[in-house]
């Protein structure tokens, strides 16, 4: 009886329709708020589910002495549609991941080397911050402003995971000072003085 039933089901649902276990992103195709369209299942390989970048230290020779290596859907097509992604953080001595948000995801951080002072600010403007040692973890709820700072004398490394294949990343200082919004308007909406705004625009590459 069971084989007959199975054959009947396979007739009703050909394998092409049953292949909804995953939807590996077709990065050449359109993207939508719900993700990319799927690659043809016949062209999916194990490589679509493997990301090697989290084992590679990022380049921290920059103004923030930090590097974020994303394994978001754009770099890791296998996460498309699965509500998950990851990244590696490298913080050189004195390094900082400045105040930022991921509009689409909560973040779960695990320190794998060194010490990281990390925190977030709630929409009630309550602050939650602490220093994390190797092996310790912290959660950053979706959409809230948060930061990570190297709190030790050696390079710190963390692996983070996100509750979205495309968490988004907006760094507050870059949003305010690395754009072309006229300085007078930045001053108006941020309550900062002219000298400070012009200095940060210059440092971060803004104009206006
Ligand atoms: Mn983050």
């Amino acid at each position: 009886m069971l084989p007959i039933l199975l054959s009947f089901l396979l007739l009703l649902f050909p394998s092409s329709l049953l292949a909804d276990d995953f939807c590996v992103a077709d990065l050449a195709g359109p993207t939508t708020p719900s993700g990319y369209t799927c690659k043809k299942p016949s062209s999916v390989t194990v490589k679509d589910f493997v990301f090697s970048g989290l084992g590679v230290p990022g380049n921290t020779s920059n103004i923030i002495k930090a590097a974020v290596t994303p394994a978001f859907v754009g770099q890791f097509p296998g996460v498309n549609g699965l509500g998950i992604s990851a990244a590696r953080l490298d913080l050189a001595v004195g390094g900082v991941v400045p105040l930022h948000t991921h509009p689409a995801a909560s973040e779960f951080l695990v320190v794998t080397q060194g010490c990281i002072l990390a925190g977030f600010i709630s929409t009630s403007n309550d602050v939650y911050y602490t220093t994390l040692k190797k092996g310790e973890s912290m959660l950053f709820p979706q959409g809230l402003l948060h930061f990570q700072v190297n709190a030790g004398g050696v390079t710190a490394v963390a692996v983070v995971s996100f509750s979205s294949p495309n968490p988004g990343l907006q760094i507050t200082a870059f949003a305010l000072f690395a754009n072309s919004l006229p300085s007078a308007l930045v001053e108006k909406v941020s309550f900062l003085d002219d000298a400070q705004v012009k200095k940060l625009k210059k440092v971060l590459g803004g104009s206006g």
Side-chain angles (χ1 to χ4, degrees), residues 89 97-98 100-102 107 109 140 144 146-148 160 162 168-169:
L89 306 185
V97 179
H100 66 280
T101 79
H102 307 286
E107 173 177 336
L109 173 148
F140 306 90
L144 298 186
H146 61 281
F147 58 86
Q148 287 100 15
V160 295
F162 297 95
L169 169 63

Side-chain angles (χ1 to χ4, degrees), residues 75-158:
Q75 299 79 33
F76 190 12
V79 299
N80 190 49
L82 296 183
I84 193 168
S85 65
R88 173 188 171 118
L89 306 185
D90 289 273
L91 292 155
V93 174
V96 52
V97 179
L99 199 64
H100 66 280
T101 79
H102 307 286
S106 295
E107 173 177 336
F108 176 73
L109 173 148
V110 186
V111 178
T112 59
Q113 180 182 306
C115 259
I116 294 178
L117 168 59
F120 66 87
I121 304 166
S122 75
T123 56
S124 314
N125 298 318
D126 292 318
V127 293
Y128 301 85
Y129 70 96
T130 190
T131 301
L132 305 163
K133 301 189 298 284
K134 180 180 173 178
E136 292 187 313
S137 304
M138 185 166 176
L139 273 171
F140 306 90
Q142 180 166 347
L144 298 186
L145 287 163
H146 61 281
F147 58 86
Q148 287 100 15
V149 176
N150 187 334
V154 297
T155 295
V157 180

